[in-house]
Amino acid sequence: MAGNAALPGFGAPAVGFDTPFEMLEACHERVQRTLALLQRLVGYLHGQACDDSARQAAHDVLRYFDLAAPLHHEDEELHVFPPLLAHGDAAVAARVRQLQQDHARMDADWQAARTALQALAEGKKTAFSAQDEAAFARFATAYAAHIRSEEDLVYPAARALLGADALQRMAQDMRQRRGAAS
């Protein structure tokens, strides 16, 4: 290995608000990690009794999808989707409308999944029902397809449309809504 050049990502700038699309993609990675945690939790409870570790995992999933995920969707609804609906081609605009519907459907799916996770996190439940697990699977499947559409089609199209000023406004808004320092 010659130097550090063989290490993927080595020396790359940290993802932050100044690179809003990279920030959105980093959110997608966190969504996927959180959904993987949920899947591990379900598997764990198939072989183990509910314990503090399981309750903490449920709490971690709740925290991400209650706090961070809604901000991510709002970022898209405010900054990514509008220019594509106004200036994108018909196929991209149709996909954006589908993604907007996905946000509403995923919110409903989250509410169904959330109830079981909240009960487990609070010690009111010690296992998930088949219905709970089906709600989790529905939620995870919807998110996976949603992320692919955004990363494969919508984000590249939006990047092509948005100039430096729009990206700067997007970054500033994302930062402010999260209470981050400028």
Side-chain angles (χ1 to χ4, degrees):
M1 226 184 290
N4 291 325
L7 298 174
F10 186 84
V15 172
F17 292 109
D18 292 332
T19 54
F21 280 98
E22 288 78 2
M23 186 78 154
L24 292 173
E25 289 170 353
C27 285
H28 285 169
E29 290 172 20
R30 286 189 290 280
V31 164
Q32 291 165 332
R33 283 196 309 270
T34 305
L35 289 171
L37 174 60
L38 176 57
Q39 185 176 6
R40 287 192 311 274
L41 173 59
V42 168
Y44 181 83
L45 291 175
H46 283 191
Q48 304 271 8
C50 185
D51 56 16
D52 287 342
S53 177
R55 283 186 289 281
Q56 183 59 51
H59 178 74
D60 290 347
V61 173
L62 284 162
R63 184 176 53 242
Y64 185 80
F65 287 109
D66 280 348
L67 301 174
L71 287 169
H72 173 80
H73 290 178
E74 190 175 2
D75 294 335
E76 294 167 344
E77 296 281 347
L78 291 172
H79 299 287
V80 179
F81 297 167
L84 293 172
L85 290 170
H87 306 291
D89 68 33
V92 172
R95 184 67 59 93
V96 167
R97 285 189 291 278
Q98 179 61 51
L99 292 171
Q100 289 173 316
Q101 291 173 5
D102 288 354
H103 283 174
R105 187 180 78 247
M106 289 185 317
D107 183 54
D109 287 346
W110 170 241
Q111 294 311 313
R114 187 185 192 291
T115 301
L117 283 162
Q118 185 73 40
L120 190 92
E122 293 174 352
K124 297 175 182 171
K125 180 178 225 168
T126 59
F128 296 126
S129 68
Q131 184 179 0
D132 297 335
E133 291 181 19
F136 301 154
R138 218 175 18 259
F139 183 65
T141 299
Y143 244 116
H146 185 82
I147 288 170
R148 276 192 308 276
S149 285
E150 288 177 344
E151 292 186 357
D152 293 348
L153 177 66
V154 172
Y155 287 2
R159 279 182 170 141
L161 279 178
L162 296 175
D165 288 344
L167 288 172
Q168 186 176 10
R169 284 189 303 276
M170 179 179 174
Q172 183 61 31
D173 180 64
M174 289 169 70
R175 186 180 292 114
Q176 285 177 342
R177 284 186 298 103
R178 287 166 177 80
S182 295

